[in-house]
Amino acid sequence: MTVPKPAPGSEAIPEFPEAMRQFMERLGFGTRPDRAYPLTGGVSSDIWFVEAKGRRLCIKRALPALRVAADWRAPVERNHFEYAWFQRVARILPDAVPPLVGHDEQAQMFAMAYLEPEQNPLWKRQLLEGKIDPAFAGHVGEALGAIHAATAHDRQTADEFATDANFHAIRLEPYLEATARVHTDLAAAIGRLVATTAATRLALVHGDISPKNILIGPKGPVFLDAECAWYGDPAFDLAFCLNHLLLKCLPVPQGAARLALSFERMVAAYRARIAWEDPAGFERRCAALLPGLLLARVDGKSPVEYIIEDKDRDYVRRIARPLIAAPVATLAEVGHRWLAGFR
């Protein structure tokens, strides 16, 4: 989900869904909001801005079929686990999640506070505009590491987020397995990435740690869109975010040096938090997974929208493919090979 704003064509705003109207009433906000309109930026959910009784809220309802070109379906029950991820993380880092308002289990929707974009700019937008702050990347790494450290080897959290089928449907299949069907010569290597990730259950994973889902809040990063919440491999979260820092070098080549420093700061801040396993073993998994995710964002079911030139897609393939075939042991080496083309 991006920073909330009205969908284009406000003269044709659809009617506020009846199910959301009833949800608002149950929450005590009445049936007639002062304002309500759908928000842009999401492919997996209906997201509405609602203003009622002096409060500004976002209501989010999961969709069974995602709004992408490929056929991509996912269980709507992920809405429950997203809300539960916010609840769990609020006990660890209260300022790292939006304030929650309420959840409707049957309708698979929840309400949270609307965070004003002026005070909570979207990290993705800042990066694409060339406003690159490596210190903030370090704060993201530190917060992510704190979440993983607080939930590592926690049996209750593991039982609550035993969402293997959801995670496969939303992440492993559309990203890695779909990419393996395009790059058939790498299918075995990508299959090993899938198997390792699926079998590793160590901590509470967000599953979509991307700049498009991180606000630069007054007190640090604020994480959104936890639909992929899963008790599994924390290396997936770090690799997923580092992936986006590298990819941003393509639309923002003049920012490559600061993106490289952001990459380093995030890795260092996160690594300092690893206490649940051997840091070197964690880094090997993360370094193996990262090039698979790079390739997935040009040849999987969810290609990034800002890589539009064939030469840029070819650059991703040229760097990622050899690293998938012969994984390296460190994230620094993955970053070095990627960034060599921008120096």
Side-chain angles (χ1 to χ4, degrees):
M1 183 178 69
T2 63
V3 173
K5 60 182 179 180
S10 58
E11 70 283 354
I13 290 177
E15 184 178 354
F16 189 47
E18 180 60 27
M20 289 187 181
R21 192 182 303 278
Q22 294 175 10
F23 180 39
M24 290 294 295
E25 184 175 19
R26 289 194 293 275
L27 291 174
F29 290 95
T31 60
R32 294 180 178 272
D34 299 319
R35 284 198 297 161
Y37 51 75
L39 304 176
T40 62
V43 300
S44 61
S45 298
D46 279 331
I47 308 171
W48 281 70
F49 168 87
V50 177
E51 187 170 5
K53 294 191 174 182
R55 294 282 300 277
R56 291 180 159 196
L57 311 174
C58 288
I59 299 181
K60 185 172 183 180
R61 177 173 60 179
L63 295 171
L66 280 65
R67 301 187 188 101
V68 295
D71 181 21
W72 183 355
R73 299 177 182 275
V76 295
E77 291 78 11
R78 65 189 187 275
N79 184 272
H80 161 83
F81 295 106
E82 178 175 14
Y83 192 76
W85 188 92
F86 285 139
Q87 289 180 308
R88 182 69 178 89
V89 171
R91 301 200 296 270
I92 303 166
L93 296 173
D95 296 319
V97 294
L100 300 174
V101 178
H103 181 235
D104 186 320
E105 184 78 25
Q106 184 174 0
Q108 290 299 327
M109 68 177 72
F110 67 84
M112 57 187 172
Y114 172 85
L115 299 179
E116 301 289 345
E118 293 76 14
Q119 290 77 47
N120 301 271
L122 185 69
W123 192 25
K124 176 181 178 179
R125 184 165 298 161
Q126 297 276 299
L127 292 174
L128 290 176
E129 291 175 355
K131 300 172 184 176
I132 301 164
D133 179 7
F136 182 75
H139 295 325
V140 173
E142 184 178 13
L144 188 59
I147 294 167
H148 292 160
T151 58
H153 305 296
D154 184 87
R155 180 47 49 195
Q156 181 177 347
T157 305
D159 291 343
E160 184 178 358
F161 291 91
T163 56
D164 298 58
N166 282 4
F167 194 79
H168 181 269
I170 306 171
R171 281 294 170 265
L172 298 180
E173 194 285 325
Y175 283 80
L176 296 174
E177 291 180 1
T179 301
R181 292 193 290 271
V182 175
H183 297 269
T184 54
D185 60 317
L186 294 173
I190 295 174
R192 287 191 290 273
L193 293 178
V194 172
T196 298
T197 303
T200 304
R201 296 180 177 85
L202 293 171
L204 180 58
V205 174
H206 177 286
D208 199 3
I209 297 291
S210 162
K212 75 178 178 64
N213 293 328
I214 300 174
L215 303 179
I216 303 174
K219 297 182 179 180
V222 179
F223 299 106
L224 307 175
D225 281 4
E227 291 187 1
C228 309
W230 168 61
Y231 196 88
D233 189 355
F236 188 91
D237 273 348
L238 184 61
F240 203 85
C241 198
L242 293 172
N243 183 32
H244 284 276
L245 293 180
L246 297 183
L247 291 172
K248 295 295 185 295
C249 293
L250 293 168
V252 194
Q254 72 277 11
R258 293 189 66 77
L259 287 165
L261 185 55
S262 298
F263 183 99
E264 293 170 8
R265 292 278 183 87
M266 182 178 292
V267 172
Y270 183 93
R271 208 175 194 278
R273 290 280 187 167
I274 300 175
W276 57 86
E277 64 174 305
D278 171 43
F282 172 94
E283 189 163 355
R284 279 193 299 273
R285 289 200 316 280
C286 197
L289 186 57
L290 178 51
L293 294 174
L294 280 167
L295 193 59
R297 296 322 298 263
V298 295
D299 290 324
K301 286 186 177 181
S302 182
V304 289
E305 82 287 354
Y306 53 79
I307 298 180
I308 57 177
E309 301 287 341
D310 286 340
K311 65 178 180 61
D312 289 338
R313 296 188 185 96
D314 288 340
Y315 184 82
V316 176
R317 296 171 185 133
R318 187 164 69 251
I319 302 302
R321 282 177 48 84
L323 286 166
I324 295 170
V328 295
T330 68
L331 290 164
E333 178 61 21
V334 177
H336 171 74
R337 294 202 195 179
W338 174 268
L339 293 160
F342 295 90
R343 294 191 175 99

